[in-house]
Amino acid sequence: MTPKVICHIMSSVDGRLLPGRWTAPFDGTNPSELFKEYAAIGKSLDTDAWMFGKATTREAFPYKFMPKGELVGESGKVFVGNRTSSRLFITIDPDADIFFTSDRLRGDNILTILGKNATTDYLAALEEKGVSYLVVDDVHNLRKVFTLVKHYFNVNTISLQGGGIIDGAMLAQGLINELSLVIYPGIDGLTTAPSIFEYLGHSEERPAEGQALELLSVEQMPHGIVWLRYKFHNISE
């Protein structure tokens, strides 16, 4: 069994994800106040953990670890680091090279998912910092990854907060149970700006095929924000 996953995202009205490009709110409110509303909604979802993909995690930890040790070469190694926060922050690092300067992000202890290409010195650095890790056969097999996360770290619900690539990968593997979409009252408009779901596949692939959305609720929030909630259904069975 995998944890319940709620994809919790704030986007512009055209589904774009780069806040620095969005037009300003009509009422003149500082955009930072709107992001506080988004964060408050996220906390109200009451999940055990929340997560970013690697690119978004890099915004908080931009430095790269330069490995010198040997490759681990096998999966199954688990380290439970510091667990004093009420929630867990999870990221997936296929390259095993994020240089964590803390065991926390936004106050929450960190769990990083690594492949067999992780090095012994990198794992030692994580252990010294108190960062939890899980070494798996294939970081792209997300169903197996999250089955292990639930088993070893007792995570039953996850708030998936992007970016678009990890959202797209989770969508394609049928792992999203709900969509919590917070619409910011502004526009990007650029064709090439990243969007909510960015599946890296061939043009003939349909990552959302067999899935349908049931509208659960619509709520108008302060400053022109709209909060939509959908439930995912597998209609291919």
Side-chain angles (χ1 to χ4, degrees), residues 62-224:
Y63 299 110
K64 189 173 182 178
F65 184 86
M66 304 304 291
K68 297 178 182 178
E70 297 180 353
L71 296 180
V72 175
E74 60 182 359
S75 64
K77 189 168 177 57
V78 180
F79 173 71
V80 179
N82 297 334
R83 289 294 305 271
T84 56
S85 60
S86 59
R87 294 200 303 169
L88 192 63
F89 169 74
I90 302 171
T91 193
I92 297 177
D93 182 7
D95 307 304
D97 65 358
I98 296 176
F99 188 90
F100 291 103
T101 54
S102 171
D103 69 324
R104 293 173 180 254
L105 180 58
R106 299 180 187 173
D108 294 324
N109 293 127
I110 297 170
L111 163 63
T112 185
I113 311 299
L114 310 169
K116 295 184 292 185
N117 58 327
T119 57
T120 54
D121 57 335
Y122 184 60
L123 297 187
L126 295 176
E127 292 176 12
E128 182 179 4
K129 190 64 68 175
V131 173
S132 299
Y133 63 75
L134 175 61
V135 179
V136 299
D137 280 315
D138 181 5
V139 295
H140 302 292
N141 184 347
L142 298 174
R143 185 170 297 279
K144 184 174 181 180
V145 165
F146 287 104
T147 299
L148 294 172
V149 167
K150 181 173 183 176
H151 176 74
Y152 287 111
F153 293 91
N154 196 31
V155 170
N156 294 301
T157 54
I158 297 174
S159 173
L160 171 64
Q161 300 182 21
I165 292 176
I166 186 64
D167 292 351
M170 296 282 279
L171 174 71
Q173 295 189 38
L175 294 174
I176 300 176
N177 301 100
E178 290 186 19
L179 174 61
S180 167
L181 180 58
V182 181
I183 306 295
Y184 171 99
I187 300 171
D188 182 322
L190 185 68
T191 300
T192 55
S195 61
I196 300 168
F197 297 104
E198 297 274 345
Y199 177 66
L200 301 177
H202 300 294
S203 58
E204 66 272 14
E205 292 185 81
R206 296 178 180 270
E209 189 170 21
Q211 301 177 73
L213 298 177
E214 175 191 359
L215 181 63
L216 298 178
S217 62
V218 180
E219 188 171 348
Q220 184 173 335
M221 309 293 288
H223 312 299

Side-chain angles (χ1 to χ4, degrees), residues 3-38:
K4 176 181 179 180
V5 176
I6 303 173
C7 184
H8 178 59
I9 296 292
M10 175 181 263
S11 80
S12 60
V13 297
D14 54 335
R16 306 299 176 176
L17 292 183
L18 299 180
R21 297 183 47 83
W22 301 344
T23 54
F26 174 75
D27 65 4
T29 303
N30 189 308
S32 64
E33 295 300 314
L34 280 70
F35 301 139
K36 289 179 183 177
E37 293 284 348
Y38 165 68

